[in-house]
């Protein structure tokens, strides 16, 4: 194989590749060729170094790893409703050696002064040496790649011992643009080229030059692009002075020190990891949806390997895949991370130390959130038990002293006990600023065997079918978590079974022994009045006694004068605690909760979680809190974007583990206002 002037050799590799035919591709399905196309390799080479003055010619590629494919079924969620199923067949674990050379582009007469082969060749070699630090991808932008220098033909290929040759039939070669055309017939045209590649021993495929491809089609007329200073699109016509060269070298060194070569690829990796698709990377922030903006801002904080990373509720509005990616990122992050979060599952995964802010100071504990919580509760319990024993000892000593202090024969013993009494010091049990509400749902009657029967329930909203033929039967011990991205469908279902909305088709039936209490996601109507908290809760109580009602409010952190607050001015967390008080005072044996953890602090979430675990009745709920769902539910129902439902008796973690696509579907949809609140 001939080695031309101005040649560069490099190795390109990546986890996935997708070499497809942009002309013949049909529908939303993308299937990769088994070998790279000329055009894909040319794009990689131009990403390493390109100037309009030169034309890159791909001479050959050497396939290093065994050719293997992987097909993925992807169901992206459309934020305006609906979804599409697409199948992508990728090449897996690819590695190629590439040999290419450049020639001068004689179509650009205006760039004649820039035809310095030595300059361009030296820059190209230098860029190859720097490696994969550009926007390099294997066929499509989501298939990121890395480049390293190599010697073509060295190192072992999987196909070194391959007998004979392998032909790949009629295949797409590339596109000739008007400004790169060599043949007169191709000038002023966009031309698509085809060829019949053959892989030889060693995995080597030698490419036909573009002008030598006999199979081609003229797609459309195309004007040649003109470059130059007057066009304000090319500034490389003047030769560098020595001063310019020194300055450029200094800037290049500073750029490398600041990790400039990796910056773009690092940014893309962060965005891709958080679920921002490649086609969105070059859009402006104003064109993104609320959830996407949140992810971009998070990526901005993670970018640049900061010495100290401060994260305030980073998991808010992230889908499960993004949270899992962020967990892995932070686990492997070598610098300091300070994070505030209500997501206990997330804290347990990423934190190695817990800072307890209480008593007006910060105390640092080794271990994650669960370890801190259990150890702090144990410490309080031990202190209480120790104080109890000390109090009993104090009482015993005081009784002895009072009985025998006047008795001459016992005076020495009484004096000794007085000294012992003086030495006993009770542990300082300072009142904590951390307050846990007392949440305990006690049904007034035991639930029967017949709980809820749903038959063929369907509902269409704004032309979109959110519920499609839903049917199931609940048992008396079911605690059901409704999960997935289709939040509107879940809320609609809850409104139907609580009588707030009528279904289009189907019916439902509650058991005669059941009583229901409902926690709505939107509680605006509940508090659109001027009642005090006490009066508001009294209207839902069978016992119309203010003292009885105040007892419930006190347990929910509304002591004393807080009971006379007007419900209209309550905060989000206070409103949630009021609704939970209403549910407790009702004595219902069926609890229906639509995102009850919203607006709650960590202590209230923990108390609610424990209260639902202990509850002896049936629960239907939805929540974005992973640990809340995992520890409460014994049955998972997912309403899919098309309105149908998956129903499994299992825990949340087991459900996700058994269905990899479930993670992909669990993308939380939020509106613009919610995103701005964070």
């Amino acid at each position: 194989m001939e080695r031309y002037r101005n040649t560069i050799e490099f190795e390109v590799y990546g986890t996935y590749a997708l070499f497809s035919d942009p002309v013949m591709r049909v529908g939303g399905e993308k299937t990769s060729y088994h070998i790279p196309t000329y055009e894909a390799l040319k794009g990689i080479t131009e990403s390493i170094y390109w100037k309009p003055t030169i034309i890159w010619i791909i001479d050959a590629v050497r396939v290093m790893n065994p050719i293997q494919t992987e097909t993925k079924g992807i169901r992206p969620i459309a934020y305006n409703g609906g979804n599409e199923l697409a199948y992508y067949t990728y090449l897996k674990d690819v590695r190629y050696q590439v040999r290419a050379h450049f020639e001068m582009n004689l179509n650009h007469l205006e760039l004649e002064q820039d035809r310095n082969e030595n300059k361009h060749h030296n820059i190209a070699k230098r860029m190859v040496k720097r490696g994969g630090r550009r926007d390099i991808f294997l066929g499509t932008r989501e298939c990121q790649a890395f480049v390293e220098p190599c010697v073509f033909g060295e190192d072992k290929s999987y196909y070194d011992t391959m007998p004979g040759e392998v032909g790949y039939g009629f295949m797409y070669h590339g596109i000739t643009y008007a400004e790169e055309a060599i043949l007169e017939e191709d000038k002023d045209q966009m031309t698509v080229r085809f060829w019949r590649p053959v892989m030889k021993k060693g995995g080597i495929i030698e490419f036909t030059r573009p002008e030598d491809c006999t199979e081609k089609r003229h797609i459309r007329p195309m004007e040649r692009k003109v470059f130059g200073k007057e066009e304000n699109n090319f500034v490389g016509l003047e030769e560098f002075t020595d001063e310019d060269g020194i300055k450029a070298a200094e800037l290049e060194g500073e750029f490398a020190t600041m990790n400039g070569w990796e910056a773009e690829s690092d940014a893309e990796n962060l965005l891709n990891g958080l679920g921002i698709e490649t086609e969105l990377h070059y859009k402006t922030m104003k064109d993104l949806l609320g959830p996407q903006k949140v992810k971009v801002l998070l990526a901005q904080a993670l970018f640049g390997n900061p010495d100290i990373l401060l994260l305030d509720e980073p998991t808010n509005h992230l889908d499960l895949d993004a949270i899992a990616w962020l967990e892995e990122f932070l686990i492997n992050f070598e610098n300091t991370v300070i994070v505030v979060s209500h997501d206990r599952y997330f804290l347990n995964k990423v934190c190695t130390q817990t800072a307890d802010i209480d008593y007006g100071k910060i105390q640092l504990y080794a271990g994650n959130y669960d370890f801190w919580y259990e150890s702090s509760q144990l410490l309080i319990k031990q202190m209480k038990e120790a104080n109890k024993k000390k109090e009993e000892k104090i009482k015993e000593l005081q009784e002895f002293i009072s009985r025998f202090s006047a008795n001459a024969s016992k005076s020495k013993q009484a004096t000794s006990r007085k000294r012992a009494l003086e030495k006993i010091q009770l542990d300082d049990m300072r009142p904590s600023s951390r307050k846990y509400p007392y949440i305990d749902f006690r049904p007034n009657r035991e639930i029967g065997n017949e709980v809820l029967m749903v038959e063929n329930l369907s509902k269409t909203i704004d032309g979109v079918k959110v519920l499609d033929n839903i049917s199931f039967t609940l048992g008396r011990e079911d605690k059901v978590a409704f999960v997935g991205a289709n939040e509107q469908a879940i809320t609609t279902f809850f409104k139907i079974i609580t009588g707030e909305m009528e279904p289009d088709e189907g019916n439902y039936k509650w058991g005669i022994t059941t009583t229901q209490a409902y926690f709505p996601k939107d509680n605006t109507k509940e508090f659109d009045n001027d009642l005090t908290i006490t009066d508001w809760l009294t209207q839902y109580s069978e016992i119309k006694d203010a003292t009885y009602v105040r007892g419930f409010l006190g347990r929910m952190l509304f002591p004393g004068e807080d009971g006379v607050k007007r419900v209209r001015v309550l905060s989000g967390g206070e409103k949630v605690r009021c609704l939970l008080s209403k549910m407790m005072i009702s004595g219902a044996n069926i609890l229906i909760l639509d995102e009850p953890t919203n607006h709650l602090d960590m202590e209230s979430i923990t108390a609610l979680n424990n209260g639902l675990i202990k509850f002896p009745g049936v629960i239907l709920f939805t929540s974005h809190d992973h640990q809340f769902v995992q520890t409460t539910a014994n049955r998972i129902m997912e309403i899919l974007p098309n309105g149908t439902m998956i129903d499994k008796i299992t825990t949340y973690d087991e459900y996700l583990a058994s269905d990899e696509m479930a993670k992909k579907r669990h993308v939380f949809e939020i509106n613009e206002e919610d995103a701005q609140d964070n």
Side-chain angles (χ1 to χ4, degrees):
M1 182 181 12
E2 184 178 357
R3 194 177 192 279
Y4 297 90
R5 293 173 57 185
N6 305 322
T7 290
I8 60 171
E9 296 173 336
F10 60 87
E11 185 174 276
V12 58
Y13 58 93
T15 306
Y16 290 103
L18 201 160
F19 306 115
S20 61
D21 182 344
V23 180
M24 306 296 291
R25 185 187 301 152
V26 182
E29 297 183 347
K30 295 183 179 180
T31 301
S32 178
Y33 287 125
H34 285 163
I35 58 174
T37 63
Y38 181 99
E39 193 70 20
L41 296 177
K42 185 169 182 280
I44 292 171
T45 309
E46 290 179 341
S47 294
I48 297 171
Y49 177 70
W50 177 82
K51 284 290 190 291
T53 313
I54 63 177
I55 301 176
W56 282 107
I57 307 296
I58 309 301
D59 300 316
V61 64
R62 185 178 180 220
V63 183
M64 304 299 288
N65 290 347
I67 298 171
Q68 50 187 337
T69 61
E70 181 176 320
T71 300
K72 297 182 179 183
I74 300 174
R75 192 186 296 272
I77 303 296
Y79 286 96
N80 58 355
N83 64 303
E84 298 175 351
L85 180 64
Y87 290 98
Y88 292 75
T89 300
Y90 297 91
L91 293 177
K92 177 76 169 150
D93 294 327
V94 298
R95 181 171 159 237
Y96 307 106
Q97 290 183 350
V98 180
R99 175 182 285 180
H101 74 279
F102 69 79
E103 299 173 358
M104 294 300 164
N105 190 341
L106 302 181
N107 290 318
H108 289 301
L109 298 176
E110 71 276 13
L111 303 180
E112 188 174 1
Q113 296 180 59
D114 192 48
R115 294 175 186 171
N116 186 328
E117 288 188 7
N118 189 53
K119 179 188 77 172
H120 291 302
H121 193 208
N122 285 334
I123 295 174
K125 289 188 294 183
R126 199 160 61 240
M127 298 308 295
V128 170
K129 189 176 180 180
R130 289 195 176 275
R133 298 182 172 91
R134 296 282 183 171
D135 189 15
I136 295 169
F137 49 93
L138 288 155
T140 125
R141 296 196 69 90
E142 66 264 25
C143 298
Q144 294 293 309
F146 296 90
V147 165
E148 293 180 357
C150 76
V151 177
F152 192 92
E154 289 189 356
D155 206 353
K156 292 182 180 180
S157 165
Y158 180 81
Y159 299 97
D160 283 344
T161 58
M162 180 186 73
E165 300 178 345
V166 178
Y168 288 93
F170 191 71
M171 179 174 160
Y172 167 76
H173 188 275
I175 296 175
T176 300
Y177 298 96
E179 64 223 36
E180 293 186 343
I182 294 177
L183 301 178
E184 288 297 325
E185 63 195 67
D186 297 334
K187 294 184 178 182
D188 301 320
Q189 296 282 343
M190 175 186 279
T191 306
V192 177
R193 311 182 306 269
F194 302 90
W195 74 313
R196 290 175 170 78
V198 175
M199 185 167 75
K200 301 177 181 178
K201 185 176 181 180
I204 296 174
I205 302 169
E206 297 183 43
F207 286 98
T208 302
R209 287 178 62 97
E211 67 269 22
D212 294 334
C213 292
T214 56
E215 298 285 347
K216 58 186 180 182
R217 300 289 185 273
H218 291 147
I219 302 301
R220 62 177 175 86
M222 174 182 264
E223 293 185 1
R224 181 178 65 86
K225 189 173 183 179
V226 179
F227 291 87
K229 282 186 176 180
E230 61 279 0
E231 302 293 336
N232 199 29
N233 60 9
F234 190 78
V235 293
L237 294 179
E238 295 181 358
E239 294 290 339
F240 271 12
T241 64
D242 291 342
E243 291 79 10
D244 292 334
I246 294 170
K247 183 63 175 177
E250 291 174 350
L251 292 174
E252 187 174 335
E254 185 178 349
F255 187 72
T257 303
M258 296 171 66
N259 208 38
W261 301 113
E262 289 92 354
E264 188 170 348
S265 62
D266 288 350
E268 290 198 347
N269 288 334
L270 287 173
L271 292 170
N272 288 333
L274 289 168
I276 301 296
E277 301 297 333
T278 306
E279 58 266 20
L280 300 176
H281 290 187
Y282 299 94
K283 287 186 175 252
T284 59
M285 286 289 285
K286 66 179 182 180
D287 295 328
L288 300 179
L289 300 173
Q292 296 167 340
K293 291 178 180 178
V294 172
K295 290 181 177 181
V296 173
L297 291 174
L298 177 57
Q300 185 182 39
L302 303 179
F303 179 76
N305 194 35
D307 295 328
I308 301 175
L309 187 57
L310 303 173
L311 300 175
D312 188 359
E313 299 289 353
T315 63
N316 280 4
H317 309 305
L318 293 185
D319 56 84
L320 293 179
D321 265 2
I323 293 174
W325 180 90
L326 180 60
E327 290 171 355
E328 192 66 24
F329 179 90
L330 294 178
I331 289 171
N332 296 318
F333 188 71
E334 296 180 353
N335 299 332
T336 302
V337 179
I338 301 174
V339 59
V340 177
S341 178
H342 288 163
D343 190 332
R344 296 164 295 167
Y345 185 86
F346 176 78
L347 292 176
N348 285 330
K349 290 276 287 188
V350 305
C351 294
T352 58
Q353 298 187 74
T354 302
D356 184 12
I357 305 176
D358 205 2
Y359 307 114
K361 66 178 185 179
I362 300 176
Q363 189 167 351
L364 199 62
Y365 295 86
N368 60 16
Y369 174 81
D370 275 356
F371 183 82
W372 164 81
Y373 179 76
E374 292 172 6
S375 58
S376 62
Q377 294 300 305
L378 179 61
L379 181 62
I380 293 172
K381 183 179 178 181
Q382 289 173 338
M383 290 177 65
K384 287 181 178 179
E385 290 176 351
N387 279 348
K388 186 178 179 180
K389 291 180 180 179
K390 290 178 181 179
E391 288 171 352
E392 291 174 353
K393 185 66 175 177
I394 290 171
K395 186 178 179 181
E396 180 186 333
L397 292 173
Q398 287 175 338
E399 288 178 354
F400 185 92
I401 293 168
S402 64
R403 286 179 62 189
F404 299 108
S405 59
N407 190 327
S409 64
K410 300 282 187 179
S411 61
K412 288 185 178 181
Q413 296 179 31
T415 302
S416 175
R417 282 167 172 74
K418 282 183 180 178
R419 292 172 181 169
L421 181 61
E422 291 172 356
K423 292 179 180 179
I424 297 176
Q425 297 289 331
L426 295 177
D427 292 328
D428 186 12
M429 297 289 291
R430 294 171 293 178
S432 173
S433 61
R434 187 176 298 107
K435 297 180 180 179
Y436 290 84
Y438 181 77
I439 301 178
D440 188 14
F441 302 98
R442 297 183 181 181
N444 293 334
R445 65 180 298 183
E446 187 177 353
I447 200 168
N449 292 324
E450 294 183 1
V451 180
L452 174 64
M453 181 180 291
V454 177
E455 294 182 339
N456 305 322
L457 212 64
S458 296
K459 183 68 177 180
T460 299
I461 297 179
D462 297 331
V464 178
K465 200 163 199 176
V466 296
L467 300 174
D468 187 8
N469 202 32
I470 302 295
S471 298
F472 64 86
T473 301
L474 287 186
R476 60 182 299 177
E477 296 181 351
D478 284 337
K479 294 183 178 180
V480 185
F482 288 80
V483 301
N486 203 344
E487 296 182 5
Q488 184 187 27
I490 297 171
T491 298
T492 300
F493 176 74
F494 286 167
K495 287 183 176 180
I496 290 174
I497 64 174
T498 55
E500 293 190 10
M501 188 181 290
E502 292 293 326
D504 297 335
E505 300 174 15
N507 58 79
Y508 66 94
K509 182 182 178 182
W510 289 105
I512 58 174
T513 62
T514 64
T515 53
Q516 303 86 38
Y518 176 43
F519 181 103
K521 179 187 287 188
D522 184 5
N523 56 39
T524 306
K525 292 181 180 179
E526 286 274 6
F527 301 99
D528 188 19
N529 56 73
D530 292 316
L531 294 174
T532 64
I533 299 176
T534 303
D535 293 338
W536 179 86
L537 186 58
T538 301
Q539 65 183 331
Y540 301 110
S541 175
E542 292 183 2
I543 302 174
K544 305 298 182 181
D545 182 31
T547 304
Y548 174 77
V549 173
R550 285 181 179 275
F552 273 89
L553 293 175
R555 289 183 292 180
M556 294 300 289
L557 309 181
F558 291 108
E561 296 182 358
D562 281 358
V564 300
K565 278 188 177 180
R566 304 289 177 181
V567 295
R568 190 187 297 276
V569 300
L570 297 179
S571 67
E574 289 173 327
K575 289 178 179 178
V576 172
R577 285 188 273 123
C578 282
L579 289 172
L580 294 175
S581 300
K582 172 188 172 183
M583 298 180 77
M584 284 191 290
I585 210 168
S586 72
N589 52 26
I590 305 286
L591 303 181
I592 304 168
L593 304 106
D594 194 353
E595 295 291 351
T597 59
N598 287 355
H599 307 292
L600 289 182
D601 54 33
M602 188 79 82
E603 291 75 27
S604 297
I605 292 173
T606 302
L608 176 59
N609 196 172
N610 294 334
L612 293 180
I613 293 172
K614 293 190 301 180
F615 180 63
V618 172
I619 306 174
L620 296 88
F621 74 100
T622 182
S623 175
H624 289 171
D625 189 309
H626 187 117
Q627 186 165 336
F628 190 87
V629 177
Q630 169 62 18
T631 55
T632 304
N634 57 22
R635 185 173 176 179
I636 304 296
M637 294 185 184
E638 180 184 358
I639 301 177
L640 301 175
N642 62 6
T644 60
M645 190 177 74
I646 298 173
D647 182 5
K648 291 187 178 182
I649 299 176
T650 181
T651 64
Y652 191 40
D653 285 345
E654 289 171 346
Y655 176 71
L656 294 176
S658 66
D659 184 0
E660 188 64 26
M661 289 307 300
K663 293 184 179 181
K664 304 291 185 184
R665 295 191 298 265
H666 294 192
V667 180
F668 307 144
E669 297 181 0
I670 60 172
N671 57 38
E672 205 73 35
E673 185 178 345
D674 292 335
Q676 292 173 357
D677 289 341
N678 287 277

